[in-house]
Amino acid sequence: MRLILAVGTGSFIGGVFRYLLSLMIQARAAAHFPLHTLAVNVTGCFLIGIVFGLFDKGQMPEGWRLFLATGVLGGFTAFSAFSHETLALLRDGHSSHALLYVLTSVTLGLLATYVAYVLVK
């Protein structure tokens, strides 16, 4: 139960940070380019790299990894998890799986969004 609470609390914190950072960047960015989302995704990818690097070196307990990676960064951006999983596949020598994962995720994600949008429009 404690870990579930940690992930939930982290998700709340990450979601709030995403919203605030997006507002701050949107106010200064060009209207036709989603710089705010790009900034959130790249920042999340950088931070998840730090979290998993520390965890893999044994310098971070499992509870903190769940709070930070699954909770905070999961609430901040799911793209960071996608990036880490792809990197893990590449690191483990599964380059064809990594390529398939990237292509399938992007293609099916865009297709699912389009189909849902058309259905409710």
Side-chain angles (χ1 to χ4, degrees):
M1 185 62 171
R2 194 182 97 209
L3 292 178
I4 292 171
L5 200 55
V7 169
T9 303
S11 295
F12 171 78
I13 292 167
V16 170
F17 280 147
R18 177 190 178 98
Y19 176 70
L20 294 174
L21 181 61
S22 292
L23 285 178
M24 189 175 69
I25 292 172
Q26 265 181 312
R28 295 170 177 80
H32 298 291
F33 188 80
L35 184 62
H36 59 289
T37 301
L38 178 64
V40 164
N41 287 340
V42 171
T43 302
C45 289
F46 180 78
L47 293 174
I48 206 166
I50 292 172
V51 169
F52 276 99
L54 291 173
F55 179 75
D56 288 349
K57 286 173 62 174
Q59 297 178 343
M60 180 179 292
E62 176 72 7
W64 276 101
R65 182 194 65 81
L66 287 170
F67 171 73
L68 292 170
T70 305
V72 174
L73 295 174
F76 189 65
T77 173
F79 191 77
S80 59
F82 168 73
S83 178
H84 174 262
E85 290 163 350
T86 303
L87 183 64
L89 286 169
L90 290 170
R91 180 195 63 216
D92 295 341
H94 303 292
S95 56
S96 60
H97 286 108
L99 180 62
L100 179 63
Y101 181 52
V102 168
L103 293 175
T104 304
S105 296
V106 171
T107 302
L108 291 180
L110 289 170
L111 183 63
T113 302
Y114 175 75
V115 168
Y117 177 79
V118 169
L119 286 175
V120 299
K121 187 174 175 189

